[in-house]
Amino acid sequence: MTYDPNNIFARILRGEIPCKKVYEDSHVLAFHDVNPQAPTHVLVIPKGAYVSFDDFSAKASADEITAFVRAAGQIARDLGAAEPGYRILANTGLNGGQEVPHFHLHLFAGRRLGRMIAAD
Ligand code: DGP
């Protein structure tokens, strides 16, 4: 899949659409989800133009991957979620239910999160 530079997260990265930012560094931006599914629901995105986890894992540089993973863990700690715990999720592609075609991790916290995959 070709990266769409007008997807909503690309527009947030360019500052064209506001977000409630929780973290930013040279490789990573994190902000609150507009439609939270838990008391804390943060989206962690790379600044690079990657469509999905599949794309990011195949093409991102080691520096980008390291920065992204480190940032995700730090954000969870900064939110006070490391204890008693949280969930990270990357919907990927059609079967994964991905809606926004810019790679993002969902970070859910703030309550017991229940079953791993909801019944459909
Ligand atoms: P996914 O289905 O994994 O692609 O999740 C996309 C998430 O992005 C969904 O939980 C809602 C969120 N979202 C969509 N548009 C916006 C937006 O404009 N701002 C913010 N903060 N979140 C958005």
Side-chain angles (χ1 to χ4, degrees):
M1 187 190 209
T2 312
Y3 185 80
D4 170 10
N6 288 319
N7 77 74
I8 198 94
F9 294 169
R11 298 185 65 199
I12 286 173
L13 282 168
R14 289 197 295 270
E16 296 168 7
I17 293 175
C19 71
K20 286 170 62 181
K21 182 165 76 176
V22 299
Y23 177 92
E24 183 169 17
D25 67 26
S26 58
H27 289 300
V28 180
L29 179 68
F31 50 90
H32 290 280
D33 194 290
V34 77
N35 182 25
Q37 306 295 311
T40 298
H41 183 174
V42 164
L43 301 169
V44 185
I45 72 172
K47 290 189 171 177
Y50 301 102
V51 174
S52 66
F53 177 74
D54 180 58
D55 193 24
F56 183 75
S57 63
K59 297 186 188 147
S61 69
D63 279 355
E64 288 174 299
I65 292 170
T66 299
F68 188 80
V69 173
R70 295 266 192 226
Q74 188 61 51
I75 291 161
R77 285 187 290 278
D78 290 348
L79 291 167
E83 294 292 341
Y86 59 92
R87 179 172 295 159
I88 54 175
L89 176 74
N91 295 323
T92 305
L94 182 64
N95 277 10
Q98 184 178 359
E99 293 173 352
V100 178
H102 181 112
F103 170 46
H104 50 282
L105 281 187
H106 295 260
L107 192 163
F108 304 103
R111 65 169 168 83
R112 293 290 291 269
L113 294 162
R115 288 165 56 95
M116 187 165 65
I117 297 176
D120 225 344

